[in-house]
CSV table of all heavy atoms in Angstrom, one decimal:
chain,number,residue,atom,x,y,z
A,50,VAL,N,1.0,19.7,-27.3
A,50,VAL,CA,0.1,18.8,-28.0
A,50,VAL,C,1.0,17.6,-28.7
A,50,VAL,O,0.5,16.5,-28.7
A,50,VAL,CB,-0.7,19.5,-29.2
A,50,VAL,CG1,-1.7,18.6,-29.8
A,50,VAL,CG2,-1.5,20.7,-28.5
A,60,VAL,N,-2.3,10.6,-17.3
A,60,VAL,CA,-3.7,10.8,-16.9
A,60,VAL,C,-4.2,9.4,-16.7
A,60,VAL,O,-5.0,9.2,-15.7
A,60,VAL,CB,-4.5,11.6,-18.0
A,60,VAL,CG1,-6.0,11.5,-17.7
A,60,VAL,CG2,-4.0,13.0,-18.1
A,62,MET,N,-2.7,6.8,-15.8
A,62,MET,CA,-2.1,6.3,-14.5
A,62,MET,C,-2.8,6.9,-13.3
A,62,MET,O,-3.1,6.1,-12.4
A,62,MET,CB,-0.6,6.6,-14.4
A,62,MET,CG,0.1,6.0,-13.3
A,62,MET,SD,1.8,6.7,-13.0
A,62,MET,CE,2.6,6.3,-14.5
A,64,LEU,N,-5.9,7.9,-13.3
A,64,LEU,CA,-7.2,7.3,-13.3
A,64,LEU,C,-7.2,5.9,-12.7
A,64,LEU,O,-8.1,5.5,-11.9
A,64,LEU,CB,-7.7,7.1,-14.8
A,64,LEU,CG,-9.2,6.6,-14.9
A,64,LEU,CD1,-10.2,7.5,-14.2
A,64,LEU,CD2,-9.5,6.5,-16.4
A,100,ASP,N,-11.6,27.0,-29.8
A,100,ASP,CA,-11.1,25.9,-30.7
A,100,ASP,C,-10.3,24.8,-30.0
A,100,ASP,O,-10.6,23.6,-30.2
A,100,ASP,CB,-10.2,26.5,-31.8
A,100,ASP,CG,-11.0,27.4,-32.8
A,100,ASP,OD1,-12.2,27.2,-32.8
A,100,ASP,OD2,-10.4,28.3,-33.4
A,106,LEU,N,-11.8,18.6,-25.4
A,106,LEU,CA,-13.1,18.0,-25.0
A,106,LEU,C,-13.3,16.7,-25.7
A,106,LEU,O,-13.8,15.7,-25.1
A,106,LEU,CB,-14.2,18.9,-25.1
A,106,LEU,CG,-14.4,20.0,-24.0
A,106,LEU,CD1,-15.5,21.0,-24.4
A,106,LEU,CD2,-14.6,19.4,-22.7
A,138,ASP,N,-14.6,4.7,13.2
A,138,ASP,CA,-13.7,5.6,12.5
A,138,ASP,C,-13.6,5.4,11.0
A,138,ASP,O,-13.6,6.3,10.2
A,138,ASP,CB,-12.4,5.6,13.2
A,138,ASP,CG,-11.6,6.8,12.8
A,138,ASP,OD1,-12.1,8.0,12.9
A,138,ASP,OD2,-10.4,6.7,12.4
A,226,VAL,N,-30.7,0.1,5.2
A,226,VAL,CA,-30.8,1.5,5.7
A,226,VAL,C,-30.0,2.4,4.8
A,226,VAL,O,-30.4,3.5,4.5
A,226,VAL,CB,-30.2,1.5,7.1
A,226,VAL,CG1,-30.0,3.0,7.5
A,226,VAL,CG2,-31.2,0.8,8.1
A,227,GLU,N,-28.8,2.0,4.3
A,227,GLU,CA,-28.0,2.8,3.5
A,227,GLU,C,-28.7,3.2,2.2
A,227,GLU,O,-28.7,4.3,1.7
A,227,GLU,CB,-26.6,2.2,3.2
A,227,GLU,CG,-25.6,2.3,4.4
A,227,GLU,CD,-25.9,1.2,5.4
A,227,GLU,OE1,-26.6,0.2,5.1
A,227,GLU,OE2,-25.4,1.3,6.5
A,248,LEU,N,-47.4,17.0,-10.3
A,248,LEU,CA,-48.1,15.7,-10.6
A,248,LEU,C,-47.3,14.6,-10.2
A,248,LEU,O,-47.9,13.5,-9.9
A,248,LEU,CB,-48.4,15.6,-12.1
A,248,LEU,CG,-49.5,16.6,-12.6
A,248,LEU,CD1,-49.6,16.5,-14.2
A,248,LEU,CD2,-50.8,16.3,-12.0
A,293,LEU,N,-50.2,15.2,7.4
A,293,LEU,CA,-50.5,15.6,8.8
A,293,LEU,C,-50.7,14.2,9.6
A,293,LEU,O,-50.2,14.1,10.7
A,293,LEU,CB,-51.8,16.4,8.9
A,293,LEU,CG,-51.6,17.9,8.6
A,293,LEU,CD1,-52.9,18.6,8.5
A,293,LEU,CD2,-50.7,18.6,9.6
A,351,THR,N,-45.1,17.7,40.0
A,351,THR,CA,-44.0,18.4,40.7
A,351,THR,C,-42.8,18.5,39.7
A,351,THR,O,-42.4,17.5,39.1
A,351,THR,CB,-43.6,17.7,42.0
A,351,THR,OG1,-44.8,17.4,42.6
A,351,THR,CG2,-42.6,18.5,42.8
A,357,LYS,N,-39.2,18.1,33.0
A,357,LYS,CA,-38.6,19.3,32.5
A,357,LYS,C,-38.2,19.1,31.0
A,357,LYS,O,-38.6,19.9,30.1
A,357,LYS,CB,-37.4,19.8,33.3
A,357,LYS,CG,-36.6,20.9,32.6
A,357,LYS,CD,-35.4,21.3,33.3
A,357,LYS,CE,-34.5,22.1,32.3
A,357,LYS,NZ,-33.3,22.6,33.0
A,374,LEU,N,-44.6,28.8,10.1
A,374,LEU,CA,-46.1,29.0,9.8
A,374,LEU,C,-46.3,30.5,9.5
A,374,LEU,O,-46.8,31.3,10.3
A,374,LEU,CB,-46.9,28.6,11.0
A,374,LEU,CG,-48.4,28.6,10.9
A,374,LEU,CD1,-48.9,28.0,9.6
A,374,LEU,CD2,-49.1,27.9,12.0
A,420,TRP,N,-42.2,27.0,36.7
A,420,TRP,CA,-40.8,26.9,36.2
A,420,TRP,C,-40.0,28.2,36.1
A,420,TRP,O,-39.0,28.3,35.4
A,420,TRP,CB,-40.8,26.1,34.9
A,420,TRP,CG,-41.1,24.7,35.0
A,420,TRP,CD1,-42.4,24.2,34.9
A,420,TRP,CD2,-40.3,23.6,35.2
A,420,TRP,NE1,-42.5,22.8,35.0
A,420,TRP,CE2,-41.1,22.4,35.2
A,420,TRP,CE3,-39.0,23.4,35.4
A,420,TRP,CZ2,-40.6,21.1,35.4
A,420,TRP,CZ3,-38.4,22.1,35.7
A,420,TRP,CH2,-39.3,21.0,35.7
A,450,SER,N,-51.1,43.0,24.7
A,450,SER,CA,-51.4,43.4,26.1
A,450,SER,C,-51.1,42.2,27.1
A,450,SER,O,-50.5,42.3,28.1
A,450,SER,CB,-52.9,43.8,26.2
A,450,SER,OG,-53.2,44.2,27.5
A,537,THR,N,-40.9,59.1,33.3
A,537,THR,CA,-40.9,57.8,34.0
A,537,THR,C,-39.6,57.1,33.8
A,537,THR,O,-39.2,56.1,34.4
A,537,THR,CB,-42.0,56.9,33.6
A,537,THR,OG1,-42.1,56.9,32.2
A,537,THR,CG2,-43.3,57.4,34.2
A,538,LEU,N,-38.9,57.5,32.7
A,538,LEU,CA,-37.5,56.8,32.4
A,538,LEU,C,-36.4,57.7,33.0
A,538,LEU,O,-36.3,58.9,32.7
A,538,LEU,CB,-37.3,56.7,30.9
A,538,LEU,CG,-37.9,55.4,30.3
A,538,LEU,CD1,-37.6,55.4,28.8
A,538,LEU,CD2,-37.3,54.2,30.9
A,588,LYS,N,-17.9,63.9,30.0
A,588,LYS,CA,-16.5,63.6,30.2
A,588,LYS,C,-16.2,62.3,30.8
A,588,LYS,O,-15.3,61.6,30.4
A,588,LYS,CB,-15.9,64.7,31.1
A,588,LYS,CG,-14.5,64.7,31.3
A,588,LYS,CD,-14.0,65.9,32.2
A,588,LYS,CE,-12.8,65.5,32.9
A,588,LYS,NZ,-12.4,66.6,33.9
A,594,LEU,N,-14.4,55.5,27.7
A,594,LEU,CA,-14.1,55.0,26.4
A,594,LEU,C,-12.6,54.9,26.1
A,594,LEU,O,-12.1,54.0,25.6
A,594,LEU,CB,-14.7,55.9,25.3
A,594,LEU,CG,-16.3,55.9,25.2
A,594,LEU,CD1,-16.8,57.0,24.3
A,594,LEU,CD2,-16.7,54.6,24.5
A,614,LEU,N,-17.0,57.5,19.8
A,614,LEU,CA,-16.2,58.6,19.8
A,614,LEU,C,-16.6,59.5,18.7
A,614,LEU,O,-16.7,60.8,18.8
A,614,LEU,CB,-14.7,58.3,19.7
A,614,LEU,CG,-14.0,57.7,21.0
A,614,LEU,CD1,-12.7,57.1,20.7
A,614,LEU,CD2,-14.0,58.7,22.1
A,615,LEU,N,-16.9,59.0,17.5
A,615,LEU,CA,-17.3,59.8,16.4
A,615,LEU,C,-18.6,60.5,16.6
A,615,LEU,O,-18.8,61.6,16.3
A,615,LEU,CB,-17.4,58.8,15.1
A,615,LEU,CG,-17.9,59.5,13.8
A,615,LEU,CD1,-16.9,60.5,13.4
A,615,LEU,CD2,-18.1,58.4,12.7
A,628,TRP,N,-13.2,68.2,27.0
A,628,TRP,CA,-13.1,67.0,27.7
A,628,TRP,C,-11.7,66.3,27.4
A,628,TRP,O,-11.0,65.9,28.3
A,628,TRP,CB,-14.2,66.0,27.4
A,628,TRP,CG,-15.6,66.5,27.8
A,628,TRP,CD1,-15.9,67.4,28.8
A,628,TRP,CD2,-16.8,66.0,27.2
A,628,TRP,NE1,-17.3,67.5,28.8
A,628,TRP,CE2,-17.8,66.7,27.9
A,628,TRP,CE3,-17.1,65.2,26.1
A,628,TRP,CZ2,-19.2,66.5,27.5
A,628,TRP,CZ3,-18.4,64.9,25.8
A,628,TRP,CH2,-19.5,65.6,26.5
A,629,LEU,N,-11.4,66.3,26.1
A,629,LEU,CA,-10.2,65.6,25.7
A,629,LEU,C,-9.0,66.3,26.3
A,629,LEU,O,-8.1,65.6,26.8
A,629,LEU,CB,-10.1,65.6,24.1
A,629,LEU,CG,-10.6,64.4,23.3
A,629,LEU,CD1,-10.5,64.6,21.8
A,629,LEU,CD2,-9.7,63.2,23.7
A,630,GLN,N,-9.0,67.6,26.2
A,630,GLN,CA,-7.8,68.3,26.8
A,630,GLN,C,-7.7,68.0,28.2
A,630,GLN,O,-6.6,67.7,28.7
A,630,GLN,CB,-8.1,69.8,26.6
A,630,GLN,CG,-6.8,70.6,26.5
A,630,GLN,CD,-7.1,72.0,26.2
A,630,GLN,OE1,-8.2,72.5,26.1
A,630,GLN,NE2,-6.0,72.8,25.9
A,646,GLU,N,2.9,64.0,23.7
A,646,GLU,CA,2.9,64.3,22.3
A,646,GLU,C,1.9,63.4,21.5
A,646,GLU,O,1.1,63.8,20.7
A,646,GLU,CB,4.3,64.2,21.7
A,646,GLU,CG,4.4,64.9,20.3
A,646,GLU,CD,5.8,64.8,19.8
A,646,GLU,OE1,6.7,64.5,20.5
A,646,GLU,OE2,5.9,64.9,18.5
A,665,ILE,N,-11.6,57.2,11.4
A,665,ILE,CA,-11.6,57.2,12.8
A,665,ILE,C,-11.3,55.9,13.4
A,665,ILE,O,-10.6,55.8,14.5
A,665,ILE,CB,-12.9,57.9,13.4
A,665,ILE,CG1,-12.6,58.5,14.7
A,665,ILE,CG2,-14.0,56.9,13.6
A,665,ILE,CD1,-13.6,59.5,15.1
A,683,GLU,N,5.2,43.3,14.6
A,683,GLU,CA,4.7,42.4,13.6
A,683,GLU,C,3.4,41.7,14.2
A,683,GLU,O,2.5,41.3,13.5
A,683,GLU,CB,5.7,41.4,13.2
A,683,GLU,CG,5.4,40.8,11.8
A,683,GLU,CD,6.5,39.8,11.4
A,683,GLU,OE1,7.6,39.8,12.0
A,683,GLU,OE2,6.2,38.9,10.6
Side-chain angles (χ1 to χ4, degrees):
Chain A
V50 185
V60 172
M62 188 190 300
L64 184 63
D100 290 339
L106 283 173
D138 197 46
V226 168
E227 283 79 18
L248 289 174
L293 282 170
T351 311
K357 172 184 162 175
L374 185 47
W420 291 90
S450 184
T537 49
L538 271 183
K588 182 176 153 185
L594 289 167
L614 287 169
L615 179 63
W628 297 334
L629 262 177
Q630 204 172 10
E646 195 184 339
I665 208 162
E683 201 181 339

